[in-house]
Amino acid sequence: MTERVGILASLREDIATARSHDPASRNSAEVFLAYSGLHAVWGYRLMHRLWRAGFRLPARLGSQLVRFLTGVEIHPGATIGRRFFIDHGMGVVIGETAILGDDVMLYHGVTLGGKAPRHTPPGTKRHPTLEDGVTVGAGAKVLGDVSIGAWSAVGANAVVTKDAPAHSLIVGI
């Protein structure tokens, strides 16, 4: 289970994570002020707290405001670990039952979505699980209740609908 840290420690950790993943970052102030992927993660964390406290409608409305402001849609019901980074986040979508471990990185246009054709009963796992250290390339789609093993990489524009073991390189369709 991911260890919980305080708000300020979490903000510092997120900024350090962005700086370590993005060679174009110049300083922490720039990351704090100008990284929409980071702003989306911070918005998600706030909305996730509301979601878990039972304030479902305000959490969903808040997540849509974050989507409008950042171009990143993260359902407040998703579970996301520490040091999560979205690089050039426009178009990223993370579904309600997605689970992301620590040190996960997504590039722009990634979808972690469901593939159920109709409404499913509440509590049904419909979205992917990305274990610790997974990187998902630009435009990739990981669909359904699949698990991508720790420290794996999903190539740009790949479409993944089956489980992959740890330390995998997943490309194509």
Side-chain angles (χ1 to χ4, degrees):
M1 186 73 192
T2 299
E3 177 187 341
R4 291 187 57 126
V5 296
I7 292 172
L8 289 177
S10 180
L11 294 175
R12 279 190 219 101
E13 183 175 69
D14 290 337
I15 291 168
T17 298
R19 298 226 36 224
S20 71
H21 283 293
D22 187 357
S25 70
R26 290 174 185 80
N27 57 59
S28 296
E30 176 187 49
V31 170
F32 180 84
L33 295 170
Y35 277 51
S36 61
L38 191 56
H39 299 152
V41 171
W42 290 341
Y44 154 78
R45 288 199 182 127
L46 179 61
M47 296 310 120
H48 184 68
R49 284 179 184 239
L50 289 174
W51 183 266
R52 291 191 52 162
F55 298 102
R56 300 287 169 97
L57 181 59
R60 287 289 288 139
L61 295 174
S63 72
Q64 290 303 299
L65 176 62
V66 172
R67 174 182 178 233
F68 174 77
L69 296 171
T70 66
V72 175
E73 181 174 348
I74 306 173
H75 192 286
T79 302
I80 298 176
R82 291 174 55 190
R83 297 175 301 279
F84 173 53
F85 181 59
I86 304 171
D87 197 8
H88 303 289
M90 185 61 74
V92 168
V93 177
I94 301 173
E96 176 183 9
T97 62
I99 299 171
L100 284 66
D102 294 338
D103 303 302
V104 169
M105 180 172 167
L106 307 180
Y107 287 91
H108 63 278
V110 167
T111 299
L112 303 178
K115 63 178 187 176
R118 300 206 180 263
H119 183 74
T120 57
T124 302
K125 179 90 165 75
R126 306 180 310 277
H127 300 95
T129 296
L130 306 183
E131 294 180 9
D132 293 348
V134 171
T135 298
V136 183
K141 313 300 178 211
V142 185
L143 304 174
D145 180 16
V146 298
S147 182
I148 306 301
W151 307 105
S152 293
V154 177
N157 294 311
V159 178
V160 181
T161 59
K162 295 181 180 170
D163 293 344
H167 304 283
S168 295
L169 174 59
I170 304 125
V171 296
I173 297 176

